[in-house]
Amino acid sequence: MTATLEEFRQRAQEFLAENAVPRSEPPVEWTEETLVAECRRFHQSLADAGLGGITYPEEYGGQGLDKSYLEAFNQEQSQYQAPLVPASISHGMCLPVMNEFGTPEQRARHQAAIIRCDELWCQMFSEPGAGSDVASLATRAVRDGDQWVLNGQKVWTSGAQYCDYGLCVARTDPTQPKHRGLSMFIVDLSLPGVDIRPLRQINGSSHFNEVYFTDVSVGHDCLVGGEGNGWNVAVAMLMYERVAIGAGGSGDMSGRMTSAKLTTEARKQGRSGDPVVRNAIADLYISERIQSFIGMRIRQAAESGRAPGPEGSIAKLNAALLSRQSSDVAIELAGPAGQAWDATEDDADEWASAVMTAPAMSIAGGTNEVQRNIIGERVLGLPKEPDPYKGQPWEAVPRS
Ligand SMILES: Cc1cc2nc3c(=O)[nH]c(=O)nc-3n(C[C@H](O)[C@H](O)[C@H](O)COP(=O)(O)OP(=O)(O)OC[C@H]3O[C@@H](n4cnc5c(N)ncnc54)[C@H](O)[C@@H]3O)c2cc1C
C-alpha cells in the first residue's frame, strides 16, 4: 500500500464509522422510503467527504483515482450496512455507461449528480415481448425536429418508482435488422406521458414496474452514443450489470443468507455437529469463496484497463446459483418453519425474504440459460444459436 492509499483507507474508515451501521449490529429496518432517502443522504455525504465516484474523472464529480482505491473502499464498506441498493443500477450500470458513451454536455449535466445520488437512475430495456431477446424490442422513438417522441411499454423496470431518470433503449429505425436501428435515450421520468405502475412480487415488495410511454418528447441532446448505436450501448450496459451483480461492489441485491449467518443459526439450534448440516454449510462456503475469486479476477481485469467481457456472465451465473444454494440450505435449517414461519419471530422477515428473492437472481440481468449460451458461444467457442430471421428488417420479422 502506498502512503496515499493508506491515508485514503483511513478516511474511508472514519467516514463509515460516522455514517453507517456496522454489520455486527442488528439489521437496520428500512422502509423503501427511508432506504431511498438514506441512500441519497449517504452518497451526498460521501461526495462531500471527497469519497464519491472514486474512479471517475474529477471534472465530472469523481476523485480521479485508480481501482485499487475503489477496492480498498469496498473492503471497508462491506463491513457496514450501508444504504446502497437504491443506487445499485445508477452507480453499477448507468454511471459507467454515461462515462463511456455520454457527450461532454451530458456528462457535465448528469455525472456528478448521479455520483451524489441527487439523481437516481434506472435502466429500461425489457418489454413484454422482449426479455432474453431484448434486441427485438418494440418501443418506438420517432424524430420530430430537434425532439424524439417515444411510444411503447417497458416492464420489470427496477426502481422506476423512486428514480429521476432512466436510460431507455428504443427502436429508431424499424427497416434495419433488429440489432441495428436501436438508440439509447436519457428519459426524465417526470415528463408528461411517462406512466409508472409498480408490480407486486412474490417476496411482498414492489421493486419493479411497468413503464408506459405515450408521446413522451425528449430532446435530441438526450441521445446517448449516437443514433442507431443503441445496441452497442445496451450490450456495454448489460456487461456492467452482470459484473455489478456477479462481482459485487454496488451492493449485493440478493439479500441472501451467508454461510456465516447459517453457521450461527445451526449453532443456535444445536445442529452444528450434524454431518448433513456441516456438509451443506461447507459446500456453501466453498461456493462463496469461488464467487469471491471470480469477482477478484474481474476486478483485477478491470484494474488493468480491460472492459468487462463474457466473464461477467460467469460471475452472474455463479451468483444466481449461489443464491439458490444458500436458500436451499436456509430452508433445510429452518425445517417446517421454512414453509410456515412465525412472522413475530426475530429475523423471520429476513429469512422469508432471502428465500423468496433467490429465484429472481436467476432471471435478473439475463437468465441462467442466457448466461450459459453466452459462455458457450463466447468462451467455449460453440456454434451460435440459429436465427432464421438473421439480417432481415425488424419490421418483417413475425412477433407474438
Ligand atoms: C429482479 C429483477 C429485476 C429486473 N430489473 C430489470 C430492469 O431494471 N430493467 C429491465 O429492463 N429489465 C429488468 N428485469 C428483466 C430481466 O432482464 C428479464 O426478466 C430477463 O432478461 C428475462 O426475460 P423475460 O422475463 O422476458 O423471459 P423470457 O425471455 O421470455 O424467457 C423465458 C424463459 O425462456 C428461456 N429462454 C429464453 N431464450 C432462451 C434461449 N435463447 N436459450 C435458452 N433458453 C431461453 C429463459 O431462460 C427463461 O427461462 C428484471 C428481472 C428481475 C427478475
Side-chain angles (χ1 to χ4, degrees), residues 59-60 98-112 186 221 223-225:
E59 63 174 313
Y60 297 118
M98 288 298 287
N99 193 52
E100 188 176 339
F101 295 95
T103 62
E105 293 73 28
Q106 288 168 343
R107 296 176 68 192
R109 209 184 314 147
H110 295 292
Q111 225 165 285
I186 299 168
D221 59 355
L223 195 56
V224 179

Side-chain angles (χ1 to χ4, degrees), residues 148-151 187-188 191-194 212-218:
W148 287 89
V149 180
L150 270 67
N151 278 286
V187 180
D188 176 345
L191 283 172
V194 178
Y212 292 84
F213 301 114
T214 311
D215 293 332
V216 176
S217 192
V218 301

Side-chain angles (χ1 to χ4, degrees), residues 115-378:
I115 288 170
R116 293 178 55 81
C117 286
D118 293 340
E119 294 174 4
L120 284 172
W121 286 49
C122 59
Q123 54 151 340
M124 296 186 285
F125 285 17
S126 308
E127 298 184 1
S132 298
D133 183 15
V134 72
S136 65
L137 62 87
T139 292
R140 285 297 316 274
V142 177
R143 181 92 189 245
D144 180 15
D146 62 357
Q147 298 290 110
W148 287 89
V149 180
L150 270 67
N151 278 286
Q153 186 202 341
K154 297 290 173 182
V155 73
W156 319 128
T157 314
S158 302
Q161 74 275 24
Y162 53 72
C163 282
D164 308 289
Y165 288 87
L167 276 174
C168 173
V169 60
R171 191 158 303 280
T172 42
D173 187 352
T175 66
Q176 294 282 340
K178 68 179 178 182
H179 292 96
R180 285 185 241 143
L182 293 172
S183 303
M184 187 70 80
F185 294 93
I186 299 168
V187 180
D188 176 345
L189 297 180
S190 65
L191 283 172
V194 178
D195 182 9
I196 299 168
R197 301 184 192 173
L199 292 166
R200 176 68 71 183
Q201 294 157 227
I202 192 174
N203 63 4
S205 59
S206 289
H207 158 86
F208 44 42
N209 306 266
E210 298 177 305
V211 182
Y212 292 84
F213 301 114
T214 311
D215 293 332
V216 176
S217 192
V218 301
H220 187 64
D221 59 355
C222 292
L223 195 56
V224 179
E227 187 177 342
N229 196 32
W231 182 245
N232 287 333
V233 183
V235 166
M237 195 150 167
L238 288 167
M239 289 298 180
Y240 287 122
E241 178 171 29
R242 281 156 202 169
V243 169
I245 295 177
S250 302
D252 182 352
M253 287 169 271
S254 72
R256 68 174 182 83
M257 293 281 165
T258 60
S259 59
K261 175 125 195 158
L262 293 170
T263 305
T264 309
E265 181 62 26
R267 285 207 183 105
K268 226 160 72 183
Q269 291 185 12
R271 293 175 69 195
S272 55
D274 177 337
V276 175
V277 171
R278 290 175 74 85
N279 260 351
I281 295 179
D283 277 347
L284 181 62
Y285 175 76
I286 291 166
S287 301
E288 286 170 350
R289 295 298 292 150
I290 292 171
Q291 183 66 12
S292 85
F293 292 140
I294 297 173
M296 211 183 281
R297 200 166 153 190
I298 290 177
R299 290 193 296 276
Q300 275 170 0
E303 255 172 61
S304 65
R306 275 207 293 123
E311 61 268 33
S313 291
I314 298 175
K316 179 17 290 280
L317 174 61
N318 207 59
L321 297 176
L322 185 57
S323 236
R324 288 272 185 162
Q325 188 183 354
S326 95
S327 145
D328 289 348
V329 182
I331 283 281
E332 167 72 30
L333 260 184
Q339 308 304 315
W341 62 91
D342 180 353
T344 59
E345 226 170 70
D346 271 1
D347 292 358
D349 277 358
E350 197 193 345
W351 280 66
S353 165
V355 169
M356 301 294 241
T357 304
M361 294 304 291
S362 50
I363 305 172
T367 66
N368 287 3
E369 291 75 23
V370 164
Q371 305 309 333
R372 287 193 165 105
N373 281 352
I374 295 171
I375 294 164
E377 288 170 17
R378 298 192 43 206

